Coordinates of all heavy atoms in Angstrom, one line a residue:
Chain A
Q21 N 88.0 -20.6 5.5 CA 87.1 -21.9 5.5 C 88.0 -22.9 4.5 O 88.9 -22.5 3.7 CB 85.9 -21.5 4.9 CG 85.8 -21.2 3.4 CD 86.1 -19.9 3.1 OE1 86.8 -19.1 3.9 NE2 86.0 -19.3 1.9
V22 N 87.6 -24.1 4.7 CA 88.3 -25.1 4.0 C 87.9 -25.0 2.4 O 86.8 -24.8 2.1 CB 87.9 -26.7 4.3 CG1 88.4 -27.6 3.4 CG2 88.4 -26.8 5.8
Q23 N 89.0 -25.0 1.5 CA 88.9 -25.1 0.2 C 89.7 -26.1 -0.5 O 90.9 -26.3 -0.2 CB 89.3 -23.7 -0.4 CG 88.8 -23.5 -1.8 CD 88.9 -22.0 -2.4 OE1 89.4 -21.1 -1.7 NE2 88.3 -21.8 -3.5
L24 N 89.0 -26.8 -1.3 CA 89.7 -28.0 -2.0 C 89.4 -27.9 -3.5 O 88.2 -27.8 -3.9 CB 89.3 -29.3 -1.6 CG 89.4 -29.7 -0.2 CD1 88.7 -30.9 0.3 CD2 90.9 -29.9 0.2
V25 N 90.5 -27.7 -4.3 CA 90.2 -27.3 -5.9 C 90.9 -28.3 -6.7 O 92.3 -28.4 -6.7 CB 90.7 -26.0 -6.2 CG1 90.4 -25.8 -7.7 CG2 90.0 -24.9 -5.4
E26 N 90.2 -29.3 -7.3 CA 90.8 -30.3 -8.1 C 91.1 -29.8 -9.5 O 90.4 -29.0 -10.0 CB 89.9 -31.6 -8.2 CG 89.3 -32.2 -6.9 CD 88.1 -31.6 -6.5 OE1 87.7 -30.4 -6.7 OE2 87.4 -32.3 -5.6
S27 N 92.1 -30.4 -10.1 CA 92.4 -30.0 -11.5 C 93.2 -31.2 -12.2 O 93.4 -32.2 -11.4 CB 93.4 -28.9 -11.5 OG 94.6 -29.1 -10.9
G28 N 93.2 -31.1 -13.5 CA 94.0 -32.3 -14.2 C 93.1 -33.1 -15.0 O 93.5 -34.0 -15.7
G29 N 91.7 -33.0 -14.9 CA 90.8 -33.8 -15.6 C 90.9 -33.6 -17.1 O 91.4 -32.6 -17.5
G30 N 90.3 -34.4 -17.9 CA 90.2 -34.2 -19.3 C 89.8 -35.5 -20.0 O 89.5 -36.6 -19.4
V31 N 90.0 -35.6 -21.3 CA 89.8 -36.7 -22.2 C 91.1 -37.4 -22.4 O 92.1 -36.8 -22.7 CB 89.1 -36.3 -23.5 CG1 88.9 -37.6 -24.3 CG2 87.8 -35.6 -23.3
V32 N 91.0 -38.7 -22.1 CA 92.3 -39.4 -22.3 C 92.0 -40.8 -23.0 O 90.8 -41.4 -22.7 CB 93.0 -39.7 -21.1 CG1 92.1 -40.4 -20.0 CG2 94.3 -40.4 -21.2
Q33 N 92.9 -41.4 -23.7 CA 92.7 -42.6 -24.4 C 92.7 -43.7 -23.5 O 93.6 -43.7 -22.5 CB 93.5 -42.8 -25.6 CG 93.2 -41.8 -26.7 CD 94.3 -42.0 -27.9 OE1 95.4 -42.3 -27.7 NE2 93.8 -41.7 -29.1
P34 N 92.1 -44.9 -23.7 CA 92.2 -46.1 -22.9 C 93.7 -46.5 -22.9 O 94.4 -46.4 -23.9 CB 91.4 -47.1 -23.6 CG 90.3 -46.3 -24.3 CD 91.1 -45.0 -24.7
G35 N 94.2 -46.9 -21.7 CA 95.5 -47.4 -21.6 C 96.6 -46.3 -21.3 O 97.7 -46.7 -20.9
R36 N 96.1 -45.0 -21.4 CA 97.1 -43.8 -21.2 C 97.0 -43.5 -19.7 O 96.2 -44.2 -18.8 CB 96.7 -42.7 -22.0 CG 96.7 -43.0 -23.5 CD 98.1 -43.4 -23.9 NE 99.0 -42.3 -23.8 CZ 99.4 -41.6 -25.0 NH1 98.7 -41.7 -26.1 NH2 100.2 -40.6 -24.9
S37 N 97.7 -42.5 -19.2 CA 97.9 -42.1 -17.9 C 97.4 -40.6 -17.8 O 97.4 -39.9 -18.7 CB 99.3 -42.1 -17.4 OG 99.7 -43.4 -17.5
L38 N 97.0 -40.3 -16.5 CA 96.6 -38.9 -16.2 C 96.9 -38.7 -14.7 O 96.8 -39.6 -13.9 CB 95.0 -38.8 -16.4 CG 94.4 -37.3 -16.6 CD1 95.1 -36.7 -17.9 CD2 93.0 -37.3 -16.7
R39 N 97.2 -37.5 -14.4 CA 97.5 -37.0 -13.0 C 96.6 -36.1 -12.6 O 96.6 -34.9 -13.1 CB 98.9 -36.8 -12.6 CG 99.2 -36.5 -11.1 CD 100.6 -36.2 -10.8 NE 100.9 -34.8 -11.0 CZ 102.0 -34.2 -10.4 NH1 102.8 -34.9 -9.6 NH2 102.1 -32.8 -10.6
L40 N 95.7 -36.2 -11.5 CA 94.9 -35.2 -10.9 C 95.6 -34.5 -9.7 O 96.5 -35.3 -9.0 CB 93.6 -35.9 -10.4 CG 92.9 -36.7 -11.5 CD1 91.5 -37.3 -10.7 CD2 92.6 -35.9 -12.6
S41 N 95.2 -33.4 -9.4 CA 95.8 -32.5 -8.4 C 94.6 -32.1 -7.5 O 93.5 -31.7 -8.1 CB 96.6 -31.4 -8.8 OG 97.8 -31.9 -9.5
C42 N 94.8 -31.8 -6.3 CA 93.8 -31.2 -5.5 C 94.6 -30.1 -4.5 O 95.4 -30.6 -3.7 CB 93.2 -32.3 -4.7 SG 92.1 -31.6 -3.4
A43 N 94.4 -28.9 -4.8 CA 95.1 -27.8 -4.0 C 94.2 -27.5 -2.7 O 93.0 -27.1 -2.9 CB 95.3 -26.5 -4.9
A44 N 94.8 -27.6 -1.7 CA 94.0 -27.4 -0.3 C 94.4 -26.2 0.3 O 95.7 -25.7 0.2 CB 94.4 -28.6 0.6
S45 N 93.4 -25.5 1.0 CA 93.7 -24.2 1.7 C 92.6 -24.0 2.8 O 91.6 -24.7 2.7 CB 93.7 -23.0 0.8 OG 92.3 -22.8 0.1
G46 N 92.9 -23.2 3.7 CA 91.9 -23.0 4.8 C 92.1 -23.8 6.0 O 91.3 -23.7 7.0
F47 N 92.9 -24.8 6.0 CA 93.3 -25.7 7.2 C 94.8 -26.2 7.1 O 95.4 -26.0 6.1 CB 92.2 -26.8 7.1 CG 92.5 -27.9 5.9 CD1 93.0 -29.1 6.1 CD2 92.0 -27.5 4.7 CE1 93.3 -30.0 5.0 CE2 92.1 -28.4 3.6 CZ 92.9 -29.5 3.8
T48 N 95.1 -26.8 8.1 CA 96.6 -27.4 8.3 C 96.6 -28.7 7.5 O 96.4 -29.7 8.0 CB 97.0 -27.5 9.6 OG1 96.9 -26.2 10.5 CG2 98.4 -27.9 9.7
F49 N 96.9 -28.5 6.2 CA 96.8 -29.7 5.3 C 97.7 -31.0 5.9 O 97.1 -32.2 5.8 CB 97.4 -29.3 4.0 CG 97.4 -30.5 3.0 CD1 96.2 -30.9 2.3 CD2 98.6 -30.9 2.5 CE1 96.2 -31.9 1.4 CE2 98.7 -31.9 1.5 CZ 97.3 -32.4 1.0
S50 N 98.9 -30.7 6.4 CA 99.7 -31.7 6.9 C 99.3 -32.5 8.1 O 99.9 -33.4 8.5 CB 101.1 -31.1 7.1 OG 101.0 -30.2 8.3
S51 N 98.0 -32.2 8.7 CA 97.5 -32.7 9.8 C 96.4 -33.7 9.4 O 95.7 -34.4 10.4 CB 97.0 -31.7 10.8 OG 98.1 -30.9 11.3
Y52 N 95.9 -33.8 8.2 CA 94.8 -34.6 8.0 C 94.9 -35.6 6.7 O 95.6 -35.2 5.8 CB 93.6 -33.6 7.6 CG 93.1 -32.8 8.7 CD1 93.7 -31.5 8.9 CD2 92.1 -33.1 9.5 CE1 93.2 -30.7 10.0 CE2 91.6 -32.4 10.5 CZ 92.2 -31.2 10.9 OH 91.8 -30.5 11.8
G53 N 94.2 -36.8 7.0 CA 94.3 -37.6 5.9 C 93.5 -37.1 4.8 O 92.5 -36.2 5.0
M54 N 93.6 -37.6 3.5 CA 92.9 -37.1 2.4 C 92.4 -38.2 1.6 O 93.0 -39.3 1.5 CB 93.7 -36.2 1.6 CG 94.2 -34.8 2.2 SD 92.8 -33.7 2.6 CE 92.3 -33.4 0.9
H55 N 91.2 -38.1 0.9 CA 90.6 -39.2 0.2 C 90.4 -38.6 -1.3 O 90.4 -37.6 -1.6 CB 89.2 -39.5 0.6 CG 89.2 -40.0 2.0 ND1 89.0 -41.4 2.4 CD2 89.3 -39.3 3.3 CE1 89.0 -41.4 3.6 NE2 89.1 -40.3 4.2
W56 N 90.4 -39.7 -2.2 CA 89.8 -39.5 -3.6 C 88.5 -40.4 -3.7 O 88.4 -41.5 -3.2 CB 90.7 -39.9 -4.6 CG 91.8 -38.9 -4.9 CD1 93.0 -39.0 -4.5 CD2 91.8 -37.6 -5.7 NE1 93.9 -37.9 -4.8 CE2 93.0 -37.1 -5.5 CE3 90.8 -36.9 -6.2 CZ2 93.4 -35.9 -6.2 CZ3 91.1 -35.8 -6.9 CH2 92.3 -35.3 -6.8
V57 N 87.5 -39.8 -4.2 CA 86.2 -40.5 -4.4 C 85.8 -40.1 -5.7 O 85.9 -38.9 -6.3 CB 85.0 -39.9 -3.4 CG1 83.7 -40.6 -3.7 CG2 85.5 -40.3 -2.0
R58 N 85.2 -41.1 -6.5 CA 84.8 -40.8 -7.8 C 83.2 -41.0 -8.0 O 82.7 -41.9 -7.2 CB 85.6 -41.6 -8.8 CG 85.3 -43.1 -8.8 CD 86.3 -43.7 -9.8 NE 86.2 -45.2 -9.9 CZ 87.0 -46.1 -10.6 NH1 87.9 -45.5 -11.4 NH2 86.8 -47.3 -10.6
Q59 N 82.6 -40.5 -9.1 CA 81.3 -40.7 -9.4 C 81.1 -40.9 -10.9 O 81.2 -39.7 -11.6 CB 80.4 -39.7 -8.9 CG 78.9 -39.7 -9.0 CD 78.2 -38.8 -8.2 OE1 78.6 -37.6 -8.1 NE2 77.0 -39.3 -7.7
A60 N 80.8 -42.1 -11.4 CA 80.6 -42.2 -12.9 C 79.3 -41.5 -13.4 O 78.3 -41.3 -12.4 CB 80.5 -43.7 -13.1
P61 N 79.1 -41.1 -14.6 CA 77.9 -40.3 -14.9 C 76.7 -41.0 -14.5 O 76.5 -42.2 -14.9 CB 78.2 -40.3 -16.4 CG 79.5 -40.3 -16.6 CD 80.1 -41.3 -15.6
G62 N 75.8 -40.3 -14.0 CA 74.5 -40.9 -13.5 C 74.5 -42.0 -12.4 O 73.5 -42.5 -12.1
K63 N 75.8 -42.2 -11.9 CA 75.8 -43.3 -10.9 C 76.1 -42.9 -9.4 O 76.3 -41.5 -9.2 CB 77.0 -44.2 -11.3 CG 76.9 -44.8 -12.7 CD 75.6 -45.8 -12.7 CE 75.5 -46.5 -14.2 NZ 74.3 -47.2 -14.2
G64 N 76.4 -43.7 -8.5 CA 76.6 -43.3 -7.1 C 78.1 -43.0 -6.9 O 78.9 -43.1 -7.7
L65 N 78.4 -42.8 -5.6 CA 79.7 -42.5 -5.1 C 80.4 -43.8 -4.9 O 80.0 -44.8 -4.5 CB 79.7 -41.8 -3.8 CG 78.8 -40.4 -3.8 CD1 78.7 -39.8 -2.6 CD2 79.6 -39.4 -4.7
E66 N 81.8 -43.8 -5.4 CA 82.8 -44.8 -5.2 C 84.0 -44.3 -4.7 O 84.6 -43.6 -5.1 CB 83.0 -45.5 -6.6 CG 84.0 -46.7 -6.3 CD 84.5 -47.3 -7.7 OE1 84.2 -46.7 -8.8 OE2 85.1 -48.4 -7.6
W67 N 84.3 -44.8 -3.3 CA 85.6 -44.4 -2.7 C 86.7 -45.0 -3.5 O 86.6 -46.2 -4.0 CB 85.6 -44.9 -1.3 CG 86.8 -44.6 -0.6 CD1 87.3 -43.5 0.1 CD2 87.9 -45.5 -0.4 NE1 88.5 -43.6 0.5 CE2 88.9 -44.9 0.2 CE3 88.1 -47.0 -0.8 CZ2 90.1 -45.6 0.6 CZ3 89.2 -47.5 -0.6 CH2 90.3 -46.8 0.2
V68 N 87.8 -44.2 -3.7 CA 89.0 -44.7 -4.4 C 90.2 -44.9 -3.7 O 90.8 -46.0 -3.9 CB 89.2 -43.6 -5.6 CG1 90.5 -44.0 -6.4 CG2 88.1 -43.4 -6.6
A69 N 90.6 -44.0 -2.9 CA 91.8 -44.2 -2.1 C 91.9 -43.1 -1.0 O 91.1 -42.1 -1.0 CB 93.1 -43.9 -3.0
V70 N 92.7 -43.5 -0.1 CA 93.0 -42.6 1.1 C 94.5 -42.6 1.4 O 95.2 -43.6 1.2 CB 92.2 -43.0 2.4 CG1 92.5 -44.4 2.9 CG2 92.3 -41.9 3.5
I71 N 95.0 -41.4 1.9 CA 96.3 -41.3 2.4 C 96.3 -40.7 3.7 O 95.6 -39.8 4.0 CB 97.2 -40.5 1.3 CG1 98.7 -40.5 1.6 CG2 96.6 -39.0 1.1 CD1 99.4 -39.8 0.4
S72 N 97.4 -41.2 4.6 CA 97.3 -40.6 5.9 C 98.0 -39.2 5.9 O 98.5 -38.7 4.8 CB 98.2 -41.6 6.7 OG 99.5 -41.7 6.3
Y73 N 98.0 -38.5 7.0 CA 98.4 -37.1 7.1 C 99.9 -36.8 6.6 O 100.2 -35.9 6.0 CB 98.2 -36.5 8.3 CG 99.1 -37.2 9.4 CD1 100.4 -36.5 9.8 CD2 98.9 -38.3 9.9 CE1 101.2 -37.1 10.7 CE2 99.7 -38.9 10.9 CZ 100.8 -38.3 11.4 OH 101.7 -38.8 12.1
D74 N 100.7 -37.9 7.0 CA 102.0 -37.7 6.5 C 102.5 -38.7 5.3 O 103.7 -38.7 4.9 CB 102.9 -38.2 7.7 CG 102.7 -39.7 8.2 OD1 101.7 -40.3 7.6 OD2 103.4 -40.1 9.0
G75 N 101.5 -39.2 4.7 CA 101.8 -40.0 3.5 C 102.3 -41.4 3.7 O 102.6 -42.1 2.7
S76 N 102.5 -41.7 4.9 CA 102.9 -43.1 5.3 C 102.1 -44.4 5.1 O 102.6 -45.4 5.0 CB 103.5 -43.2 6.7 OG 102.4 -42.9 7.7
N77 N 100.8 -44.0 5.0 CA 99.8 -45.1 4.9 C 98.9 -44.8 3.5 O 98.5 -43.6 3.6 CB 99.0 -45.3 6.0 CG 99.8 -45.9 7.2 OD1 100.5 -47.0 7.1 ND2 100.0 -45.3 8.3
K78 N 98.6 -45.7 2.9 CA 97.9 -45.5 1.7 C 96.9 -46.8 1.4 O 97.5 -48.0 1.6 CB 98.7 -45.2 0.4 CG 99.7 -44.2 0.6 CD 100.5 -44.0 -0.7 CE 101.6 -43.1 -0.6 NZ 102.5 -42.9 -1.7
Y79 N 95.7 -46.6 1.1 CA 94.8 -47.7 0.8 C 94.0 -47.3 -0.4 O 93.7 -46.3 -0.6 CB 93.9 -47.9 2.1 CG 94.7 -48.2 3.4 CD1 95.0 -47.2 4.3 CD2 95.1 -49.5 3.7 CE1 95.6 -47.5 5.4 CE2 95.8 -49.9 4.8 CZ 96.0 -48.7 5.7 OH 96.8 -49.1 6.8
Y80 N 93.6 -48.5 -1.1 CA 93.0 -48.3 -2.3 C 91.7 -49.2 -2.5 O 91.8 -50.4 -1.9 CB 93.9 -48.6 -3.6 CG 95.1 -47.8 -3.6 CD1 96.3 -48.2 -3.0 CD2 95.2 -46.6 -4.2 CE1 97.4 -47.4 -2.9 CE2 96.2 -45.8 -4.4 CZ 97.4 -46.2 -3.8 OH 98.6 -45.4 -3.7
A81 N 90.7 -48.8 -3.3 CA 89.7 -49.7 -3.8 C 90.2 -50.8 -4.6 O 91.2 -50.5 -5.3 CB 88.6 -48.9 -4.4
D82 N 89.7 -51.9 -4.5 CA 90.1 -53.0 -5.4 C 90.1 -52.8 -6.9 O 91.0 -53.2 -7.5 CB 89.3 -54.2 -5.2 CG 89.6 -54.9 -3.8 OD1 90.7 -54.7 -3.3 OD2 88.7 -55.7 -3.4
S83 N 89.1 -51.9 -7.3 CA 88.9 -51.6 -8.7 C 90.1 -50.7 -9.3 O 90.3 -50.6 -10.5 CB 87.6 -50.8 -8.8 OG 87.6 -49.6 -8.0
V84 N 90.9 -50.1 -8.4 CA 92.0 -49.1 -8.8 C 93.4 -49.7 -8.4 O 94.4 -49.2 -8.8 CB 91.8 -47.8 -8.5 CG1 90.5 -47.3 -8.9 CG2 92.0 -47.6 -7.0
K85 N 93.4 -50.7 -7.5 CA 94.7 -51.2 -6.9 C 95.6 -51.6 -8.0 O 95.2 -52.4 -8.9 CB 94.4 -52.2 -5.9 CG 95.4 -52.5 -5.0 CD 95.0 -53.6 -3.8 CE 93.8 -53.0 -3.1 NZ 93.4 -54.1 -2.0
G86 N 96.8 -51.0 -8.0 CA 97.9 -51.5 -8.8 C 97.9 -50.7 -10.1 O 98.8 -50.6 -10.8
R87 N 96.9 -49.8 -10.3 CA 96.8 -48.8 -11.4 C 96.9 -47.4 -10.9 O 97.4 -46.5 -11.6 CB 95.5 -49.0 -12.1 CG 95.3 -50.5 -12.8 CD 94.2 -50.5 -13.8 NE 92.9 -50.1 -13.1 CZ 92.0 -49.2 -13.4 NH1 92.4 -48.5 -14.6 NH2 91.0 -49.0 -12.8
F88 N 96.3 -47.0 -9.9 CA 96.2 -45.6 -9.4 C 97.2 -45.5 -8.1 O 97.4 -46.5 -7.4 CB 94.9 -45.3 -8.9 CG 93.8 -45.1 -10.1 CD1 94.1 -45.5 -11.3 CD2 92.6 -44.6 -9.7 CE1 93.1 -45.4 -12.3 CE2 91.6 -44.4 -10.7 CZ 92.0 -44.8 -12.0
T89 N 97.8 -44.4 -8.0 CA 98.6 -44.1 -6.7 C 98.3 -42.7 -6.2 O 98.3 -41.7 -6.9 CB 100.1 -44.1 -7.3 OG1 100.5 -45.3 -7.8 CG2 101.0 -43.8 -5.9
I90 N 97.9 -42.8 -5.0 CA 97.6 -41.5 -4.2 C 99.0 -41.0 -3.5 O 99.8 -41.8 -3.1 CB 96.6 -41.7 -3.2 CG1 96.1 -40.5 -2.6 CG2 97.0 -42.7 -2.2 CD1 94.8 -40.5 -1.8
S91 N 99.1 -39.6 -3.6 CA 100.3 -39.2 -3.0 C 100.0 -37.8 -2.5 O 98.9 -37.1 -2.9 CB 101.5 -39.1 -3.9 OG 101.2 -38.4 -5.0
R92 N 100.9 -37.1 -1.7 CA 100.7 -35.8 -1.3 C 102.0 -35.1 -1.2 O 103.1 -35.7 -1.0 CB 99.8 -35.7 0.0 CG 100.7 -36.4 1.1 CD 99.8 -36.5 2.4 NE 99.2 -35.3 2.9 CZ 98.1 -35.2 3.6 NH1 97.3 -36.2 4.0 NH2 97.7 -34.0 4.0
D93 N 102.0 -33.7 -1.2 CA 103.2 -32.9 -1.0 C 102.7 -31.9 -0.1 O 102.1 -30.8 -0.4 CB 103.6 -32.2 -2.3 CG 104.9 -31.5 -2.2 OD1 105.2 -31.1 -1.0 OD2 105.6 -31.3 -3.1
N94 N 103.0 -32.0 1.3 CA 102.6 -31.2 2.3 C 103.3 -29.9 2.2 O 102.6 -28.8 2.7 CB 102.9 -31.9 3.8 CG 102.0 -33.0 3.9 OD1 101.0 -33.1 3.3 ND2 102.2 -33.8 5.0
S95 N 104.4 -29.7 1.6 CA 105.0 -28.5 1.5 C 104.3 -27.5 0.3 O 104.3 -26.3 0.5 CB 106.5 -28.5 0.9 OG 106.5 -29.0 -0.3
K96 N 103.5 -28.2 -0.4 CA 102.7 -27.5 -1.4 C 101.1 -27.5 -1.2 O 100.4 -27.1 -2.0 CB 102.9 -28.1 -2.8 CG 104.4 -27.8 -3.2 CD 104.6 -28.4 -4.7 CE 106.0 -28.2 -5.2 NZ 106.2 -28.8 -6.5
N97 N 100.9 -28.3 0.0 CA 99.4 -28.4 0.3 C 98.5 -29.0 -0.8 O 97.5 -28.4 -1.2 CB 98.8 -27.0 0.7 CG 99.3 -26.5 2.1 OD1 100.0 -27.2 2.8 ND2 99.0 -25.2 2.4
T98 N 99.3 -29.9 -1.4 CA 98.5 -30.6 -2.7 C 98.5 -32.1 -2.4 O 99.5 -32.8 -2.1 CB 99.4 -30.1 -3.9 OG1 99.4 -28.7 -4.0 CG2 98.7 -30.7 -5.2
L99 N 97.3 -32.6 -3.0 CA 97.1 -34.0 -3.0 C 97.1 -34.4 -4.5 O 96.7 -33.6 -5.4 CB 95.8 -34.3 -2.5 CG 95.2 -35.7 -2.6 CD1 95.8 -36.6 -1.6 CD2 93.7 -35.7 -2.2
Y100 N 97.5 -35.6 -4.7 CA 97.6 -36.0 -6.1 C 97.0 -37.4 -6.3 O 96.8 -38.3 -5.3 CB 99.0 -36.2 -6.7 CG 99.9 -34.9 -6.5 CD1 100.7 -34.8 -5.4 CD2 99.7 -34.0 -7.5 CE1 101.4 -33.5 -5.4 CE2 100.5 -32.8 -7.4 CZ 101.3 -32.6 -6.3 OH 102.0 -31.5 -6.2
L101 N 96.5 -37.8 -7.5 CA 96.1 -39.0 -8.0 C 96.6 -39.5 -9.4 O 96.3 -38.8 -10.3 CB 94.6 -39.2 -7.9 CG 94.1 -40.6 -8.2 CD1 94.5 -41.6 -6.9 CD2 92.5 -40.7 -8.5
Q102 N 97.7 -40.2 -9.3 CA 98.2 -40.7 -10.6 C 97.5 -41.9 -11.0 O 97.4 -43.0 -10.4 CB 99.8 -41.1 -10.3 CG 100.4 -41.8 -11.6 CD 100.5 -40.7 -12.8 OE1 100.9 -39.5 -12.4 NE2 100.4 -41.0 -13.9
M103 N 97.0 -41.9 -12.2 CA 96.1 -42.9 -12.8 C 96.7 -43.5 -14.1 O 96.9 -42.7 -15.0 CB 94.7 -42.2 -13.1 CG 94.0 -41.7 -12.0 SD 92.3 -41.0 -12.3 CE 92.7 -39.8 -13.6
N104 N 97.1 -44.7 -14.1 CA 97.8 -45.3 -15.1 C 96.8 -46.4 -15.7 O 95.9 -46.7 -15.0 CB 99.0 -46.0 -14.6 CG 100.1 -45.0 -14.1 OD1 100.0 -43.9 -14.6 ND2 100.9 -45.3 -13.2
S105 N 97.1 -46.9 -16.9 CA 96.4 -48.0 -17.6 C 94.8 -47.7 -17.4 O 94.1 -48.5 -17.1 CB 96.6 -49.3 -16.9 OG 98.0 -49.5 -16.9
L106 N 94.5 -46.5 -17.8 CA 93.0 -46.0 -17.8 C 92.1 -46.9 -18.6 O 92.5 -47.3 -19.6 CB 93.0 -44.6 -18.0 CG 93.4 -43.8 -16.7 CD1 93.6 -42.3 -17.2 CD2 92.3 -43.7 -15.7
R107 N 90.8 -47.1 -18.1 CA 89.8 -47.9 -18.7 C 88.7 -47.0 -18.9 O 88.4 -46.1 -18.2 CB 89.5 -49.1 -17.9 CG 90.7 -50.0 -17.5 CD 90.3 -51.0 -16.5 NE 91.4 -51.8 -16.1 CZ 91.5 -52.6 -15.0 NH1 90.4 -52.6 -14.1 NH2 92.5 -53.5 -14.7

Side-chain angles (χ1 to χ4, degrees):
Chain A
Q21 72 282 15
V22 172
Q23 191 168 12
L24 300 168
V25 180
E26 301 93 337
S27 61
V31 181
V32 60
Q33 293 180 328
R36 304 297 291 265
S37 299
L38 202 63
R39 188 178 82 158
L40 305 183
S41 300
C42 171
S45 60
F47 66 103
T48 305
F49 181 71
S50 59
S51 296
Y52 291 90
M54 297 292 295
H55 300 258
W56 286 100
V57 175
R58 68 184 181 182
Q59 186 170 36
K63 302 297 184 182
L65 300 172
E66 180 186 14
W67 176 81
V68 172
V70 63
I71 186 169
S72 59
Y73 69 98
D74 61 354
S76 61
N77 293 298
K78 306 173 186 181
Y79 300 95
Y80 300 91
D82 287 344
S83 58
V84 306
K85 200 175 297 182
R87 299 188 300 122
F88 289 12
T89 301
I90 189 171
S91 63
R92 64 191 298 159
D93 186 336
N94 285 346
S95 69
K96 296 182 178 179
N97 288 350
T98 303
L99 174 73
Y100 302 101
L101 185 67
Q102 177 68 41
M103 303 185 294
N104 298 332
S105 302
L106 282 162
R107 307 166 179 168

